[in-house]
Amino acid sequence: MDRLASWSTWWAEPGADGLRILGGTWMRAVAGFLPGSRVLTQWYAECLFPDGDRDEPAVYDLGSGEQAALLDLAELSVDPENDEFFSAEVLDGHLELVPGRVHPAGGAPQTRHWLLDADTLRPLGRLGYPAPVGEDVTSLGDGTWLTHDGDRVHRWPVSRASS
């Protein structure tokens, strides 16, 4: 018998009489927190379902439990069947960064990073760096982030990484 893995993410408020569940979502993990009681989630159910190979960050309002924004990262793909996206990172209250590996036709895979508006998840542009960067991104929460190139670590503000 095949087993199917799944998970749920719930947000709750502690009280004197226990936890009160405010909302939740299925097959998504929390990727970061945003101002105004909002949370960024990322779909992580790749290959579990026929349509499971989708990369979708979403913003949820923790007060209402409602989904406030959703982005299908296939909009950023060169080749949606082969391109890969990694966990979205909250840079600050206004911006999110999504790293990915795209596979241009006839070319070697390329690492690319995109900026998204934190409220709407609208793509703001692709980042161009003056030095090589990898897929790993570490947000410092102040609008800057770290990448590495071999044994070199780079710290980037939005102003140094042009879009």
PDB file of all heavy atoms in Angstrom, residues 11-33:
ATOM      1  N   TRP A  11      -2.673  28.428  12.559  1.00  0.00           N
ATOM      2  CA  TRP A  11      -2.307  29.532  13.419  1.00  0.00           C
ATOM      3  C   TRP A  11      -3.371  29.635  14.496  1.00  0.00           C
ATOM      4  O   TRP A  11      -4.553  29.434  14.264  1.00  0.00           O
ATOM      5  CB  TRP A  11      -2.098  30.848  12.690  1.00  0.00           C
ATOM      6  CG  TRP A  11      -3.012  31.141  11.541  1.00  0.00           C
ATOM      7  CD1 TRP A  11      -4.169  31.842  11.601  1.00  0.00           C
ATOM      8  CD2 TRP A  11      -2.832  30.755  10.173  1.00  0.00           C
ATOM      9  NE1 TRP A  11      -4.724  31.920  10.340  1.00  0.00           N
ATOM     10  CE2 TRP A  11      -3.928  31.266   9.458  1.00  0.00           C
ATOM     11  CE3 TRP A  11      -1.858  30.042   9.491  1.00  0.00           C
ATOM     12  CZ2 TRP A  11      -4.075  31.076   8.094  1.00  0.00           C
ATOM     13  CZ3 TRP A  11      -2.008  29.855   8.141  1.00  0.00           C
ATOM     14  CH2 TRP A  11      -3.099  30.366   7.454  1.00  0.00           C
ATOM     15  N   ALA A  12      -2.886  29.884  15.715  1.00  0.00           N
ATOM     16  CA  ALA A  12      -3.754  29.855  16.886  1.00  0.00           C
ATOM     17  C   ALA A  12      -3.385  30.985  17.829  1.00  0.00           C
ATOM     18  O   ALA A  12      -2.282  31.533  17.772  1.00  0.00           O
ATOM     19  CB  ALA A  12      -3.622  28.512  17.597  1.00  0.00           C
ATOM     20  N   GLU A  13      -4.329  31.314  18.695  1.00  0.00           N
ATOM     21  CA  GLU A  13      -4.114  32.348  19.692  1.00  0.00           C
ATOM     22  C   GLU A  13      -4.245  31.712  21.070  1.00  0.00           C
ATOM     23  O   GLU A  13      -5.263  31.066  21.359  1.00  0.00           O
ATOM     24  CB  GLU A  13      -5.171  33.444  19.499  1.00  0.00           C
ATOM     25  CG  GLU A  13      -5.056  34.598  20.430  1.00  0.00           C
ATOM     26  CD  GLU A  13      -6.097  35.658  20.079  1.00  0.00           C
ATOM     27  OE1 GLU A  13      -7.295  35.376  20.238  1.00  0.00           O
ATOM     28  OE2 GLU A  13      -5.684  36.752  19.653  1.00  0.00           O
ATOM     29  N   PRO A  14      -3.210  31.855  21.916  1.00  0.00           N
ATOM     30  CA  PRO A  14      -3.309  31.268  23.257  1.00  0.00           C
ATOM     31  C   PRO A  14      -4.253  32.085  24.125  1.00  0.00           C
ATOM     32  O   PRO A  14      -4.331  33.305  24.018  1.00  0.00           O
ATOM     33  CB  PRO A  14      -1.881  31.320  23.778  1.00  0.00           C
ATOM     34  CG  PRO A  14      -1.225  32.409  23.009  1.00  0.00           C
ATOM     35  CD  PRO A  14      -1.926  32.489  21.675  1.00  0.00           C
ATOM     36  N   GLY A  15      -4.965  31.405  24.979  1.00  0.00           N
ATOM     37  CA  GLY A  15      -5.870  32.052  25.921  1.00  0.00           C
ATOM     38  C   GLY A  15      -5.883  31.281  27.224  1.00  0.00           C
ATOM     39  O   GLY A  15      -5.263  30.213  27.344  1.00  0.00           O
ATOM     40  N   ALA A  16      -6.590  31.801  28.212  1.00  0.00           N
ATOM     41  CA  ALA A  16      -6.651  31.163  29.520  1.00  0.00           C
ATOM     42  C   ALA A  16      -7.265  29.768  29.433  1.00  0.00           C
ATOM     43  O   ALA A  16      -6.918  28.886  30.218  1.00  0.00           O
ATOM     44  CB  ALA A  16      -7.449  32.037  30.486  1.00  0.00           C
ATOM     45  N   ASP A  17      -8.155  29.559  28.475  1.00  0.00           N
ATOM     46  CA  ASP A  17      -8.819  28.260  28.348  1.00  0.00           C
ATOM     47  C   ASP A  17      -8.228  27.405  27.229  1.00  0.00           C
ATOM     48  O   ASP A  17      -8.864  26.464  26.760  1.00  0.00           O
ATOM     49  CB  ASP A  17     -10.319  28.454  28.148  1.00  0.00           C
ATOM     50  CG  ASP A  17     -10.642  29.325  26.945  1.00  0.00           C
ATOM     51  OD1 ASP A  17      -9.721  29.985  26.422  1.00  0.00           O
ATOM     52  OD2 ASP A  17     -11.814  29.341  26.533  1.00  0.00           O
ATOM     53  N   GLY A  18      -7.028  27.720  26.774  1.00  0.00           N
ATOM     54  CA  GLY A  18      -6.367  26.920  25.743  1.00  0.00           C
ATOM     55  C   GLY A  18      -6.161  27.706  24.465  1.00  0.00           C
ATOM     56  O   GLY A  18      -6.286  28.925  24.440  1.00  0.00           O
ATOM     57  N   LEU A  19      -5.856  26.985  23.404  1.00  0.00           N
ATOM     58  CA  LEU A  19      -5.612  27.609  22.107  1.00  0.00           C
ATOM     59  C   LEU A  19      -6.905  27.758  21.322  1.00  0.00           C
ATOM     60  O   LEU A  19      -7.727  26.837  21.271  1.00  0.00           O
ATOM     61  CB  LEU A  19      -4.645  26.764  21.286  1.00  0.00           C
ATOM     62  CG  LEU A  19      -3.198  26.733  21.750  1.00  0.00           C
ATOM     63  CD1 LEU A  19      -2.387  25.788  20.862  1.00  0.00           C
ATOM     64  CD2 LEU A  19      -2.580  28.110  21.714  1.00  0.00           C
ATOM     65  N   ARG A  20      -7.056  28.910  20.701  1.00  0.00           N
ATOM     66  CA  ARG A  20      -8.186  29.143  19.799  1.00  0.00           C
ATOM     67  C   ARG A  20      -7.621  29.143  18.389  1.00  0.00           C
ATOM     68  O   ARG A  20      -6.752  29.962  18.055  1.00  0.00           O
ATOM     69  CB  ARG A  20      -8.849  30.477  20.111  1.00  0.00           C
ATOM     70  CG  ARG A  20     -10.083  30.747  19.247  1.00  0.00           C
ATOM     71  CD  ARG A  20     -10.723  32.040  19.682  1.00  0.00           C
ATOM     72  NE  ARG A  20      -9.891  33.134  19.237  1.00  0.00           N
ATOM     73  CZ  ARG A  20     -10.316  34.099  18.385  1.00  0.00           C
ATOM     74  NH1 ARG A  20     -11.533  34.096  17.949  1.00  0.00           N
ATOM     75  NH2 ARG A  20      -9.501  35.043  18.013  1.00  0.00           N
ATOM     76  N   ILE A  21      -8.073  28.207  17.546  1.00  0.00           N
ATOM     77  CA  ILE A  21      -7.598  28.111  16.164  1.00  0.00           C
ATOM     78  C   ILE A  21      -8.188  29.265  15.363  1.00  0.00           C
ATOM     79  O   ILE A  21      -9.405  29.427  15.288  1.00  0.00           O
ATOM     80  CB  ILE A  21      -7.991  26.758  15.530  1.00  0.00           C
ATOM     81  CG1 ILE A  21      -7.446  25.596  16.346  1.00  0.00           C
ATOM     82  CG2 ILE A  21      -7.545  26.696  14.077  1.00  0.00           C
ATOM     83  CD1 ILE A  21      -5.937  25.518  16.396  1.00  0.00           C
ATOM     84  N   LEU A  22      -7.321  30.064  14.759  1.00  0.00           N
ATOM     85  CA  LEU A  22      -7.758  31.207  13.963  1.00  0.00           C
ATOM     86  C   LEU A  22      -7.839  30.895  12.477  1.00  0.00           C
ATOM     87  O   LEU A  22      -8.542  31.558  11.739  1.00  0.00           O
ATOM     88  CB  LEU A  22      -6.796  32.385  14.167  1.00  0.00           C
ATOM     89  CG  LEU A  22      -6.657  32.893  15.599  1.00  0.00           C
ATOM     90  CD1 LEU A  22      -5.587  33.961  15.674  1.00  0.00           C
ATOM     91  CD2 LEU A  22      -7.981  33.410  16.115  1.00  0.00           C
ATOM     92  N   GLY A  23      -7.087  29.900  12.041  1.00  0.00           N
ATOM     93  CA  GLY A  23      -7.095  29.548  10.626  1.00  0.00           C
ATOM     94  C   GLY A  23      -6.007  28.548  10.332  1.00  0.00           C
ATOM     95  O   GLY A  23      -5.268  28.122  11.223  1.00  0.00           O
ATOM     96  N   GLY A  24      -5.908  28.172   9.094  1.00  0.00           N
ATOM     97  CA  GLY A  24      -4.889  27.228   8.706  1.00  0.00           C
ATOM     98  C   GLY A  24      -4.935  26.968   7.218  1.00  0.00           C
ATOM     99  O   GLY A  24      -5.804  27.467   6.504  1.00  0.00           O
ATOM    100  N   THR A  25      -3.986  26.187   6.777  1.00  0.00           N
ATOM    101  CA  THR A  25      -3.907  25.849   5.369  1.00  0.00           C
ATOM    102  C   THR A  25      -3.270  24.478   5.224  1.00  0.00           C
ATOM    103  O   THR A  25      -2.571  24.012   6.120  1.00  0.00           O
ATOM    104  CB  THR A  25      -3.122  26.931   4.584  1.00  0.00           C
ATOM    105  OG1 THR A  25      -3.139  26.616   3.201  1.00  0.00           O
ATOM    106  CG2 THR A  25      -1.707  27.051   5.073  1.00  0.00           C
ATOM    107  N   TRP A  26      -3.502  23.844   4.133  1.00  0.00           N
ATOM    108  CA  TRP A  26      -3.079  22.474   3.891  1.00  0.00           C
ATOM    109  C   TRP A  26      -1.940  22.453   2.880  1.00  0.00           C
ATOM    110  O   TRP A  26      -1.985  23.178   1.884  1.00  0.00           O
ATOM    111  CB  TRP A  26      -4.291  21.705   3.377  1.00  0.00           C
ATOM    112  CG  TRP A  26      -4.108  20.259   3.209  1.00  0.00           C
ATOM    113  CD1 TRP A  26      -3.847  19.343   4.191  1.00  0.00           C
ATOM    114  CD2 TRP A  26      -4.201  19.526   1.999  1.00  0.00           C
ATOM    115  NE1 TRP A  26      -3.773  18.091   3.653  1.00  0.00           N
ATOM    116  CE2 TRP A  26      -3.980  18.170   2.296  1.00  0.00           C
ATOM    117  CE3 TRP A  26      -4.439  19.881   0.682  1.00  0.00           C
ATOM    118  CZ2 TRP A  26      -3.994  17.177   1.333  1.00  0.00           C
ATOM    119  CZ3 TRP A  26      -4.455  18.887  -0.266  1.00  0.00           C
ATOM    120  CH2 TRP A  26      -4.238  17.554   0.066  1.00  0.00           C
ATOM    121  N   MET A  27      -0.928  21.630   3.117  1.00  0.00           N
ATOM    122  CA  MET A  27       0.207  21.425   2.221  1.00  0.00           C
ATOM    123  C   MET A  27       1.055  22.680   2.020  1.00  0.00           C
ATOM    124  O   MET A  27       1.688  22.867   0.999  1.00  0.00           O
ATOM    125  CB  MET A  27      -0.248  20.885   0.856  1.00  0.00           C
ATOM    126  CG  MET A  27      -1.052  19.602   0.945  1.00  0.00           C
ATOM    127  SD  MET A  27      -0.237  18.313   1.881  1.00  0.00           S
ATOM    128  CE  MET A  27       0.834  17.649   0.658  1.00  0.00           C
ATOM    129  N   ARG A  28       1.049  23.555   3.011  1.00  0.00           N
ATOM    130  CA  ARG A  28       1.841  24.779   2.969  1.00  0.00           C
ATOM    131  C   ARG A  28       2.597  24.910   4.279  1.00  0.00           C
ATOM    132  O   ARG A  28       2.110  24.524   5.319  1.00  0.00           O
ATOM    133  CB  ARG A  28       0.963  26.009   2.804  1.00  0.00           C
ATOM    134  CG  ARG A  28       0.281  26.070   1.468  1.00  0.00           C
ATOM    135  CD  ARG A  28      -0.531  27.354   1.352  1.00  0.00           C
ATOM    136  NE  ARG A  28      -0.948  27.526  -0.013  1.00  0.00           N
ATOM    137  CZ  ARG A  28      -0.193  28.064  -0.965  1.00  0.00           C
ATOM    138  NH1 ARG A  28       0.999  28.512  -0.688  1.00  0.00           N
ATOM    139  NH2 ARG A  28      -0.643  28.167  -2.188  1.00  0.00           N
ATOM    140  N   ALA A  29       3.781  25.476   4.200  1.00  0.00           N
ATOM    141  CA  ALA A  29       4.576  25.752   5.389  1.00  0.00           C
ATOM    142  C   ALA A  29       4.778  27.256   5.496  1.00  0.00           C
ATOM    143  O   ALA A  29       4.794  27.963   4.483  1.00  0.00           O
ATOM    144  CB  ALA A  29       5.928  25.055   5.295  1.00  0.00           C
ATOM    145  N   VAL A  30       4.936  27.743   6.703  1.00  0.00           N
ATOM    146  CA  VAL A  30       5.194  29.165   6.917  1.00  0.00           C
ATOM    147  C   VAL A  30       6.611  29.475   6.455  1.00  0.00           C
ATOM    148  O   VAL A  30       7.567  28.814   6.840  1.00  0.00           O
ATOM    149  CB  VAL A  30       5.006  29.533   8.402  1.00  0.00           C
ATOM    150  CG1 VAL A  30       5.449  30.959   8.661  1.00  0.00           C
ATOM    151  CG2 VAL A  30       3.557  29.338   8.812  1.00  0.00           C
ATOM    152  N   ALA A  31       6.730  30.482   5.598  1.00  0.00           N
ATOM    153  CA  ALA A  31       8.033  30.909   5.095  1.00  0.00           C
ATOM    154  C   ALA A  31       8.490  32.209   5.748  1.00  0.00           C
ATOM    155  O   ALA A  31       9.656  32.551   5.673  1.00  0.00           O
ATOM    156  CB  ALA A  31       7.985  31.087   3.572  1.00  0.00           C
ATOM    157  N   GLY A  32       7.562  32.933   6.379  1.00  0.00           N
ATOM    158  CA  GLY A  32       7.939  34.179   7.038  1.00  0.00           C
ATOM    159  C   GLY A  32       6.721  34.933   7.537  1.00  0.00           C
ATOM    160  O   GLY A  32       5.581  34.609   7.183  1.00  0.00           O
ATOM    161  N   PHE A  33       6.981  35.931   8.359  1.00  0.00           N
ATOM    162  CA  PHE A  33       5.911  36.745   8.928  1.00  0.00           C
ATOM    163  C   PHE A  33       6.000  38.158   8.380  1.00  0.00           C
ATOM    164  O   PHE A  33       7.083  38.691   8.166  1.00  0.00           O
ATOM    165  CB  PHE A  33       6.011  36.752  10.458  1.00  0.00           C
ATOM    166  CG  PHE A  33       5.757  35.396  11.042  1.00  0.00           C
ATOM    167  CD1 PHE A  33       6.801  34.516  11.252  1.00  0.00           C
ATOM    168  CD2 PHE A  33       4.475  34.985  11.340  1.00  0.00           C
ATOM    169  CE1 PHE A  33       6.579  33.252  11.765  1.00  0.00           C
ATOM    170  CE2 PHE A  33       4.232  33.721  11.851  1.00  0.00           C
ATOM    171  CZ  PHE A  33       5.297  32.854  12.065  1.00  0.00           C
TER     172      PHE A  33
END
